[in-house]
């Protein structure tokens, strides 16, 4: 569950509703009257994995892509009738763990199956591909089967995104990179 534009946005734990996002009325946390669906539905059993909050966009992360929710906002929040949901990336850039999604200065970072991605005003890009691609694309460095258990945190002293992963052969998050 996240707050964006004076509304709460939440996922269901019902597998039938895996691609649905439930939304409250503006400034009314007790009225879950709205629903957004990240199409295409039924691509996998996990559906929407998590949210990435930017100033003017809300990201809906699936295992195989990223969707963007945007719309016009007034002083009381975003009007539900003006919302648009569009797919930003498909195939690559999906999210492996909702606990790796982190927003820092209107830039969203997360772990995908092939690296660490960033979504900002210039679009979606794999920021680990140029220097450390083998870390995420091979089974040499990290236990890739445990990517779903990875988590991230913001290091405020260094102004860095820190990603915590399991080392090869390990079942706990005993390694971190930034």
């Amino acid at each position: 569950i996240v707050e964006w534009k004076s509304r709460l946005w939440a996922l269901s734990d019902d597998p039938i509703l895996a691609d649905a996002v439930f939304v409250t009325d503006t400034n009314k946390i007790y009225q879950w009257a709205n629903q957004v669906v990240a199409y295409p539905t039924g691509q996998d059993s996990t559906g929407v994995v998590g949210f990435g909050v930017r100033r003017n966009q809300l990201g809906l992360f699936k295992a195989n892509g990223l969707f963007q929710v945007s719309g016009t906002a007034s002083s009381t929040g975003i009007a539900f009738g003006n919302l648009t949901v569009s797919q930003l990336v498909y195939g690559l850039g999906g999210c492996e763990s909702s606990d790796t999604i982190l927003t820092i200065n209107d830039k969203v970072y997360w772990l995908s199956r092939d690296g660490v991605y960033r979504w900002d005003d210039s679009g979606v890009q794999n920021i680990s591909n140029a220097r450390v691609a083998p870390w995420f694309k091979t089974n040499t460095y990290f236990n890739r089967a445990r990517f779903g258990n990875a988590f991230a945190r913001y290091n405020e002293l260094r102004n860095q995104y820190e990603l915590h992963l399991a080392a090869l052969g390990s079942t706990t998050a005993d390694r971190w990179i930034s």
Side-chain angles (χ1 to χ4, degrees):
I1 189 168
V2 297
E3 184 277 330
W4 181 67
K5 300 292 183 184
S6 300
R7 295 177 183 268
L8 294 181
W9 303 72
L11 303 175
S12 172
D13 61 355
D14 185 344
I16 296 171
L17 301 171
D19 296 301
V21 175
F22 296 90
V23 187
T24 63
D25 279 342
T26 303
N27 295 320
K28 295 183 179 163
I29 61 170
Y30 51 86
Q31 291 184 346
W32 294 86
N34 309 293
Q35 183 176 343
V36 173
V37 177
Y39 291 101
T41 61
Q43 291 177 315
D44 56 47
S45 61
T46 56
V48 179
V49 175
F51 300 104
V53 179
R54 295 192 61 217
R55 193 171 297 117
N56 294 314
Q57 297 93 17
L58 176 67
L60 307 178
F61 289 90
K62 285 186 156 185
N64 60 356
L66 170 61
F67 295 78
Q68 170 183 285
V69 178
S70 56
T72 56
S74 66
S75 60
T76 59
I78 194 162
F80 199 79
N82 296 332
L83 284 180
T84 59
V85 180
S86 56
Q87 191 167 25
L88 289 180
V89 292
Y90 177 77
L92 296 176
C95 184
E96 289 291 306
S97 168
S98 63
D99 291 334
T100 65
I101 304 169
L102 191 60
T103 303
I104 303 170
N105 298 325
D106 205 35
K107 297 175 184 177
V108 180
Y109 299 87
W110 70 95
L111 174 64
S112 185
R113 65 182 164 264
D114 66 334
V116 177
Y117 279 75
R118 181 180 63 218
W119 172 35
D120 59 16
D121 290 338
S122 63
V124 176
Q125 57 186 319
N126 183 327
I127 61 171
S128 61
N129 210 24
R131 297 178 71 187
V132 292
W135 289 5
F136 301 100
K137 295 179 180 179
T138 68
N139 291 321
T140 307
Y141 301 93
F142 299 114
N143 184 347
R144 297 181 76 226
R146 301 284 301 168
F147 274 10
N149 301 92
F151 64 93
R153 74 178 193 94
Y154 174 62
N155 183 332
E156 60 189 47
L157 296 175
R158 296 179 181 256
N159 190 29
Q160 293 177 334
Y161 173 84
E162 287 184 358
L163 181 62
H164 297 258
L165 302 156
L168 183 64
S170 178
T171 58
T172 61
D174 52 6
R175 298 290 186 267
W176 64 270
I177 58 170
S178 61

